[in-house]
Amino acid sequence: MKLTFIGNGNMAKALIEGLVSNYDIEVLGRNEKTLQTLKNKLPKITTKVIGKSEDITGKNIVLCVKPYSLPDLAPKLSGEADTIFSVLAGTSIDSIRAQIKSKKYIRTMPNLGASFLKSMTTITGDEELKETALEIFNNIGTALWLSTENELDIATGVAGSGPAYLALIAESLADGAVNQGLKREDSQILVQGLFDGFAALIANENPALIKDGVMSPGGTTAAGYAALERCNVRHGMMEAISDAYSKAKELKLKN
Ligand SMILES: NC(=O)c1ccc[n+]([C@@H]2O[C@H](COP(=O)([O-])OP(=O)(O)OC[C@H]3O[C@@H](n4cnc5c(N)ncnc54)[C@H](OP(=O)(O)O)[C@@H]3O)[C@@H](O)[C@H]2O)c1
């Protein structure tokens, strides 16, 4: 299958690196120098500076520009694409449909893990392309199909924003250790190892059972866990997802 990327920034590069061995890839961008740098790194791809009237007829486009670039880009595209795979945050399929002509539309939300081929990507859109879209985005991590754009907006608050929330947990656990007298470098290694091991745990076990397994009666984990509940950490996390979802809906109205 041939994929035509439009945009060659961070997300496009992560995706291309994950896909280059299995797909025929063409990259359209506006900066000849950065396109050439990408081509030097991945000689298998073809690159092209986008023309004033770029015919996208029959192409499978992976749209990788910033949402605010769409009104500038769209008038330069002519013809009708076969499929648009959009990675644009907070931009509805209706909004893309109104600007770029295509037979089918898919909206995806990769996350920061894409640069390590560990993206948690959510996908929705034309059901006919479900398997194709899952296959493409499984190349950069784990992909999950959702039934509606509304579900994708909820999931964005978890998987898209999640690295920031987990970074807060990681940083505060390390700060807690430093506060009790552990060296900063050791605290950092400790937290990295914790997250590494936890990734394997959560891949195989329900979070509630992981907690039950480590929390013995009257023990250290129970004492620490009670402190987290006293400080409303659970409520804070649920509020974070609620506010991120509200913001996603608000932004969608603007794009
Ligand atoms: N980064 C993430 O973790 C992440 C996660 C989920 C979703 N996304 C989505 O991914 C999309 C891209 O984000 P990014 O982080 O990759 O941004 P980025 O690094 O700024 O890349 C944007 C790319 O689009 C190109 N571009 C901008 N306007 C253009 C135009 N009119 N014609 C052709 N190319 C144009 C830029 O070209 P120049 O190099 O010339 O500026 C650049 O190559 C965004 O919509 C974002 O919402 C990103």
Side-chain angles (χ1 to χ4, degrees):
M1 184 181 197
K2 184 169 179 177
L3 297 173
T4 300
F5 280 74
I6 300 187
N8 56 308
N10 295 322
M11 185 45 71
K13 280 191 270 197
L15 278 163
I16 293 165
E17 280 178 27
L19 295 169
V20 72
S21 46
N22 296 331
Y23 293 83
D24 187 6
I25 289 179
E26 172 185 37
V27 187
L28 308 180
R30 59 179 178 180
N31 183 328
E32 195 164 5
K33 220 167 141 194
T34 57
L35 284 170
Q36 189 55 48
T37 307
L38 188 60
K39 167 94 183 144
N40 291 345
K41 194 172 172 203
L42 304 168
K44 232 186 113 199
I45 65 170
T46 56
T47 56
K48 185 177 176 226
V49 173
I50 215 157
K52 281 198 180 103
S53 176
E54 191 67 44
D55 188 5
I56 57 168
T57 302
K59 295 193 173 188
N60 299 305
I61 304 285
V62 187
L63 198 57
C64 285
V65 299
K66 293 277 192 199
Y68 58 73
S69 300
L70 202 53
D72 173 57
L73 168 74
K76 294 180 185 146
L77 306 177
S78 63
E80 184 182 32
D82 189 58
T83 307
I84 303 280
F85 297 96
S86 164
V87 305
L88 274 63
T91 308
S92 68
I93 289 178
D94 277 350
S95 170
I96 297 165
R97 186 183 284 115
Q99 298 179 73
I100 305 177
K101 235 174 137 190
S102 178
K103 288 196 172 82
K104 289 158 271 173
Y105 295 84
I106 291 284
R107 186 178 155 204
T108 76
M109 187 63 200
N111 77 2
L112 214 52
S115 33
F116 299 97
L117 304 183
K118 290 266 185 195
S119 172
M120 179 61 239
T121 307
T122 43
I123 310 176
T124 195
D126 199 315
E127 282 274 346
E128 206 187 305
L129 281 167
K130 178 176 170 179
E131 292 313 318
T132 308
L134 283 170
E135 196 183 308
I136 292 174
F137 287 90
N138 269 325
N139 280 285
I140 56 155
T142 304
L144 174 70
W145 181 269
L146 297 170
S147 336
T148 63
E149 288 194 74
N150 187 47
E151 287 187 4
L152 191 135
D153 290 335
I154 298 170
T156 298
V158 184
S161 313
Y165 309 151
L166 294 183
L168 181 142
I169 303 271
E171 188 189 22
S172 51
L173 288 174
D175 284 347
V178 171
N179 192 32
Q180 297 307 314
L182 202 66
K183 288 192 208 69
R184 173 60 69 184
E185 313 83 81
D186 291 342
S187 303
Q188 181 70 9
I189 293 168
L190 200 64
V191 170
Q192 281 170 349
L194 169 68
F195 270 69
D196 196 26
F198 188 71
L201 278 174
I202 195 140
N204 292 289
E205 191 65 280
N206 181 308
L209 296 179
I210 297 174
K211 184 257 297 169
D212 287 359
V214 74
M215 195 160 137
S216 40
T220 47
T221 307
Y225 201 87
L228 293 175
E229 292 289 21
R230 242 183 355 260
C231 296
N232 280 325
V233 171
R234 178 192 299 267
H235 182 66
M237 289 292 158
M238 291 178 71
E239 285 289 286
I241 303 305
S242 167
D243 285 8
Y245 172 50
S246 301
K247 191 58 148 186
K249 283 192 289 186
E250 184 191 316
L251 290 175
K252 217 163 64 175
L253 293 176
K254 289 186 191 157
N255 287 326

